[in-house]
Structures are given as C-alpha cells and as structure tokens.
Amino acid sequence: YLVFQFFILFSVRFVNFSWKQKRIQILFFAITVAILAFILEPPIGWDLSRHFLWMNEIRDSNLSFNNFIFNNINGVGLYEYKNLIFYNLIRYIIIKLTYNNNWLPCICTFFNYIIVGYIAYDWEYTNHKHRKMSLITPFLCSAFLPFILVVSGIRTALASSIAALAIYLYLYKKRRMILFIILMLISSTIHQVVLFSIPFVCLSKLKIGIKGLIFSISFSFIINIVSP
C-alpha cells in the first residue's frame, strides 16, 4: 500500500497529467486498495470480523428482502442496525450474490477512495493549483481515509465519504439542495454519526452568533453519542 502511494507521488511529480488521466489514476488506485481489502483476513478484534458474523446470521435466516429491510422485528444482523436501510441493502445484496463476505470491505473500500480521490483532484483542477498540490493529493486521500480505518470501520468510512461528497457538491460545486439531501439520507442510513455535519453546513450559509455555534456543536455531540 505504501509502495503504491510513493509510486503515485513519483508519477504526479514528474508527469503533467490531464484531468482524464487523473480520473484513470483515481480508478486504478481505488481498484488496487479494494483488492487489498478483499484478500485481507480481519483479526478477531476488528469490527469487520463481527460484520462477517452478522452477515452469516442474515444468510442463515433466509429472510426475504422485504422482511429484512423493512420488517426486521427480531433484529437479524444486529438489532441496532435494523433501521440502517441503505447499509442493510448493501449487506443483503452481497449475501444473496455470494458466500464470500470479503466483497463487503472490497466494495466499500472502492467507493471510499473513488469519492475522496474525486474530491481531492476536482478541487485541484477547479482551483487551477500547480503540481505541488498534485504531489500531496494522494497523501491527503490516505490521511483522511487510512486503509485500516476504511476496512475495519467500513460503516463510518463509507458514510463519511458520501457525506463529504454531499457537502462538497452542495457548498463548492453549487449543486441543488435535493442532491445534498439525498446523499445525506443515504449516508445517515449507513451510519448516523454523519448527521453531526449538518449544523455546520447550515452555519456556512448563515451568519449566527456564538449561541448558535454552541448549539450546533452541542447538537452534533449528542448525535455522535446516540448514533448506533
């Protein structure tokens, strides 16, 4: 993983990539780390090993799609996750298509780095940064989404990536609010901790005093505590 990082750093330092070539680079990088996530066997202490056990529980239950997603009264696959519709949808599709649970971290890792890579390189391209920005972009990607965190904490990483994309498109690319709402709904049904970012998005659009700032931080802190 680190060798691949340095390979990208070397290439972007001495080669002037076009935006199309950078898209290919992002895709290549995401596929590589997704393969690493696929072949990785998680230690028992990792959250991922528990996710595998819950996926086996879902597979053995033989619940229908409707009963698992919308009427999972017994909380098969962990009771605290029964309302996480989008995450449950991902799990259900995987267990119905394959017996290999490693596809879960593989798919999540792929989309994590695709999203973060897109944001980093699009920001650079839009703001016409020089090649020194290209030099640090891959390090920024790995710093914001460390590989171990992405693989082990798959819910947090994937939800955070989608929320980051929603915020980036809304605040910086000036896309419609409906897209922001849809992406935030998707991310919050993977992990509700991303809801803490919403007050700060509102802060960026409003001029409020110190009381509003304290309220936003307190509200975000409460969400972080109560989220499953």
Side-chain angles (χ1 to χ4, degrees), residues 48-62 76-77 91 95 98-102:
L48 184 59
S49 62
R50 290 186 284 272
H51 283 288
F52 285 177
L53 293 176
W54 295 325
M55 289 180 71
N56 291 334
E57 180 182 314
I58 299 168
R59 187 178 287 112
D60 294 338
S61 70
N62 292 317
V76 175
R91 293 198 294 176
I95 65 172
T98 177
Y99 283 93
N100 192 336
N101 293 332
N102 288 75

Side-chain angles (χ1 to χ4, degrees), residues 135-199:
L135 182 64
I136 66 172
T137 296
F139 269 164
L140 290 176
C141 293
S142 60
F144 291 140
L145 282 177
F147 180 70
I148 298 301
L149 172 61
V150 172
V151 176
S152 180
I154 51 175
R155 284 200 311 129
T156 304
L158 182 59
S160 299
S161 296
I162 297 174
L165 179 62
I167 295 170
Y168 180 74
L169 293 177
Y170 178 59
L171 294 182
Y172 295 99
K173 303 294 285 185
K174 307 301 180 183
R175 300 295 169 81
R176 297 176 62 182
M177 181 179 287
I178 186 63
L179 179 60
F180 170 77
I181 294 174
I182 291 172
L183 290 175
M184 288 303 297
L185 283 174
I186 290 174
S187 63
S188 64
T189 57
I190 296 174
H191 201 308
Q192 294 175 356
V193 70
V194 299
L195 295 175
F196 88 92
S197 63
I198 294 179

Side-chain angles (χ1 to χ4, degrees), residues 73-111:
I73 57 176
N74 293 322
V76 175
L78 190 62
Y79 186 82
E80 288 79 3
Y81 289 179
K82 67 184 183 70
N83 294 322
L84 300 179
I85 295 176
F86 195 80
Y87 179 65
N88 286 333
L89 177 63
I90 296 173
R91 293 198 294 176
Y92 192 83
I93 291 174
I94 291 175
I95 65 172
K96 289 301 179 181
L97 294 179
T98 177
Y99 283 93
N100 192 336
N101 293 332
N102 288 75
W103 280 107
L104 178 65
C106 175
I107 293 171
C108 292
T109 299
F110 174 79
F111 282 105

